[in-house]
Amino acid sequence: MLYKNLKSLFFLLKWEEIGEVDEDYAPIHTYQVCRVMEQNQNNWLYTNWILTEGAQRVYIELKFTLRDCNSLPGGVGTCKETFNMVLKENRYIKVDTIAADESFTELDLGDRVMKLNTEVRDLGPLTHKGFYLAFQDLGACIALVSVRVFYKRCPFLVKSLAEFPDTIPGSEASQLVEVVGHCVNNSLPLYEPPRMHCSTEGEWLVPIGKCVCKPGYEEISGACQVCKVGFYRSLLESPGCSKCPPHSVARQTGATVCTCEDGYYKIESDPSNMACTRPPSAPRNAISNVNETSVFLEWSIPLETGGRKDIRYNILCRQVLPEGRGLDECGPNVRFLPRRVALSNTSVMVADLQSHTNYSFLLEAVNGVSELAKDHPKQYVSLNVTTNQAAPSPVSVVRKGHTGKSSIALSWAEPDRPNGIILEYEIKYFEKEQDSSYTIIKSKDTEMVVEGLKPSSVYIFQVRARTSAGYGAFSRRFEFQTSPYLLCFSFRRCGYSKAKQDPEEEKMHFHNGHIKFPGVRTYIDPLTYEDPNQAVHEFAQEIDVSSISIERIIGAGEFGEVCCGPLRLPGKREIQVAIKTLKVGYTEQQRRDFLWEASIMGQFNHPNIIRLEGVVTKSKPVMIITEYMENGSLDTFLKKNDGQFTVIQLVGMLRGIASGMRYLSDMGYVHRDLAARNILVNGNLVCKVSDFGLSRVLEDDPEAAYTTRGGKIPIRWTAPEAIAYRKFTSASDVWSYGIVMWEVMSYGERPYWEMSNQDVIKAVEESYRLPGPMDCPEALYHLMMDCWQHERTNRPKFDEIVCLLDKLIRNPSSLKKLVNSSHRYEGKSGSAFTLICIAVLLFRTSFQTKHSIEIYKQKPEKKTQTKAKFIGSVVSFK
Ligand code: AMP
């Protein structure tokens, strides 16, 4: 706040101007009037014209003494103890009647005590440039010692680099005058112009906004100073000048940016404090992995990344033309997965190349500044690759020709990439929405008439080609309809049916024997415990439910949902687990049966046996916690990934299962329900044996059929002696293992397809065995046939199976000879050929197309096949 005194002179009307001394004998100048003894006093003292200087509210401070009327000698008379203060702008207005807080007496005069009164009055709003003041005496004894007239102001102020001028407040008592500040030299308003508010009391209030030094300057002591050489300031928000980042310079003062040194670059999106960067060097350690007509390229990040994180890779693909005719860019048909350019990972899959062809790949690393660095020589790493033999690409279009009520003529074009000479086509068809049962027929031409169809019915057709490299993938599905009925006739379906059996058909009469567990058992049968709870806690750790979080449901078990989620045990690394729950409302028997499995599983510790983490029995729901197997059960996994694995991968899976079974048999444990559905697969394709228990597993198993004695047996997987007289041994597990081998090599096909259980038993008893799956290595089929020896002592032991599979894995060329060559049906029983003939009967073929009849009529040494699979027709790079 600042005071500004206004100047005034006085005009006297019956007042006197008197020079005096105060109580300290200092000279003072006063205006006095003291006509207390006279009637009708009206004495005026006027100021001259006082200029307001723009102020709308002024303050008047009066200092005066006033005589106590009572102390006057000779009576009071008309004596007054007040006077009036009057304002005149264009007319006279009484401001106030001024009274003294203290009046003086004769005594005070004698003692030279000056009882000085001070009164302040404010006037406003004033509307004129100036005004007069007048003091009216109506008969008092007054000495006016001083009259100070002033107004208040908000003084010049510099705040937040903004100057606010000296400002006169508004006229109203609580009014604020908004003032826009002016940014000091080399500064700018930040976001909005700075403002302050001047109050009537002359105080600056409510600052809004501020100024900041402009780029190239920084604030030091309330002023903006220029940035020194080598320093810069680019953003209004940044507090001060900063040193230029690496590989950049500021050669002059006041730099707002630093410029990059030669050979270094910056892109617009790079922050100003980021170093200048340069393009990367070439990728390193590039390797290729050829799989038929696909190539998987992999490399390491460049040695020199150029100082950036936005590194990407581009692939240049060129075909090496024969006879030294140079190189040609790969055409648009070659696919790059995920893409050809701007790859963020250090690998790419190149598919749909031509078979038996040389290619040259150039791999280049680029980053955000590569585009700017035109002079920077490009650095590549090159890879030369030769593709292999490959199956034909899929047939792309299937057309419908003449359509009859029971036939449809089809034609199609050769696949885009036959990758060899096409030996034949396979046509798969089925009635729409009946895809559990389909028929496969063959043709050497690119057309054929499919006969024996139902009138007025929609059929789905798929075609695939075969070369010496095997089958290509099936074409997409094509839907065609036969013509309407004319005659009424009935027929039955032929071909392979995957349809579910009538449950009655699955029932199996069973005659003999009790379950016997031979050999010395090193695992303890939970039945030997009187209290099943004791068995559980003997072999399974109790887990506190707070260590488990259930994240999602992954399956349905017999007793409740199977979920998965993380398990955090104190002091242990968090792991993902499967959580089997026992649904609410269970009986005591159900709880016992549920925990039974844990009592068995808890006794095992092997990489190919599902590991039990523990149980939750102290809270509800009761849970069994096992390791989590990402790929679920093996049969579903194989069906989902039909043809996707190499033979070595499949043998690796079988080896794992055999190893788990060897462990179980060494422990003296007989599984009795070994089947692909009871094997779980983890994310690394490791297979683990699961589903333990005695009667329970079989009750649980949808494949198990009732016997006359009330027991249930999964007929298709079970050895004849176990079916006939319940001779369950590790040797019967070996039989089941042979069936699992067959399931694996045929990618989850149902053993014996749609044959009834009775037919299966009959066929097996008559020495018929499953034929080798299509393209199954002969060595594996021999092993299967060994597992299916009727005399159980002639079957291999699990340790022999593991040993043999290890040998095959170590020597992959031993897997080259395939079953579907001329030896395909050379089983030890020597009966596989007969099986095909029997199978034709058992499949109850009631009508066959010309082509399908041909298939079954052919000698097995030729192209006879009951089920066609080409392992590896789809490339896998796991
Ligand atoms: P189960 O009670 O063993 O028949 O389990 C039912 C289903 O849950 C199985 O078919 C699997 O799909 C799934 N499942 C069971 N245990 C696991 C596990 N440890 N990891 C992943 N999935 C599992």
Side-chain angles (χ1 to χ4, degrees), residues 115 126 164 173 322 329 365 372 380 382 410 467 643 646 669 702 707 711 770 797 840 848 871:
K115 288 195 166 159
L126 299 176
F164 295 90
E329 290 259 327
L372 300 173
Y380 295 102
S382 103
L410 300 176
T467 63
T646 60
Y669 179 80
T707 69
L770 281 166
K797 306 281 174 295
V840 174
Q848 288 159 335
I871 296 162

Side-chain angles (χ1 to χ4, degrees), residues 243-254:
K243 203 165 172 359
C244 285
H247 305 300
S248 68
V249 287
R251 294 202 172 84
Q252 266 155 15
T253 59

Side-chain angles (χ1 to χ4, degrees), residues 529-655:
Y529 285 79
E530 231 172 71
D531 176 7
N533 276 323
Q534 199 195 338
V536 172
H537 288 108
E538 183 88 47
F539 301 119
Q541 181 196 353
E542 177 73 28
I543 290 178
D544 194 287
V545 73
S546 64
S547 324
I548 306 158
S549 330
I550 293 182
E551 271 175 0
R552 61 194 163 85
I553 298 174
I554 52 169
E558 197 207 354
F559 294 98
E561 282 142 352
V562 183
C563 312
C564 78
L567 169 70
R568 284 179 220 91
L569 287 178
K572 283 205 182 158
R573 189 167 62 85
E574 182 186 288
I575 55 164
Q576 200 68 10
V577 290
I579 304 147
K580 282 191 177 182
T581 57
L582 174 60
K583 55 186 171 247
V584 288
Y586 54 80
T587 62
E588 191 43 40
Q589 183 60 40
Q590 282 173 324
R591 181 179 189 273
R592 224 175 289 155
D593 287 353
F594 176 70
L595 291 172
W596 183 273
E597 187 176 13
S599 312
I600 294 172
M601 218 192 295
Q603 300 186 45
F604 303 140
N605 177 17
H606 187 272
N608 297 102
I609 306 289
I610 196 82
R611 191 181 65 249
L612 177 76
E613 294 296 341
V615 290
V616 178
T617 61
K618 303 240 156 79
S619 60
K620 285 183 185 170
V622 174
M623 302 176 195
I624 297 178
I625 315 297
T626 64
E627 66 181 308
Y628 175 60
M629 302 291 283
E630 292 87 338
N631 283 315
S633 58
L634 178 60
D635 61 336
T636 328
F637 177 64
L638 288 171
K639 280 178 204 151
K640 248 193 256 164
N641 295 285
D642 197 342
Q644 302 272 325
F645 302 118
T646 60
V647 170
I648 287 291
Q649 281 176 310
L650 297 174
V651 177
M653 294 182 202
L654 290 174
R655 198 265 176 212

